[in-house]
Amino acid sequence: MLWSDPENEPPKELRDMQDMLRRLGVLMALAMILIMIVIGLR
């Protein structure tokens, strides 16, 4: 990458959306693990 290249920094809305999706993904993964544990205990 050259020094003259413009930074391909996404706009703030896009970054916020990506953060939200990442958090949602983590929450979904934790919820799935919890559900698996609950099903396994029955």
Side-chain angles (χ1 to χ4, degrees):
M1 203 165 119
L2 301 172
W3 289 109
S4 59
D5 286 348
E7 285 188 38
N8 61 349
E9 186 72 22
K12 190 181 184 322
E13 300 88 31
L14 193 64
R15 272 181 287 152
D16 287 348
M17 201 173 73
Q18 283 174 341
D19 282 349
M20 200 178 71
L21 286 172
R22 199 171 295 124
R23 282 193 210 104
L24 200 65
V26 170
L27 280 175
M28 286 290 286
L30 289 174
M32 289 296 285
I33 291 168
L34 200 63
I35 289 167
M36 291 290 186
I37 291 169
V38 168
I39 289 171
L41 290 176
R42 288 183 179 225

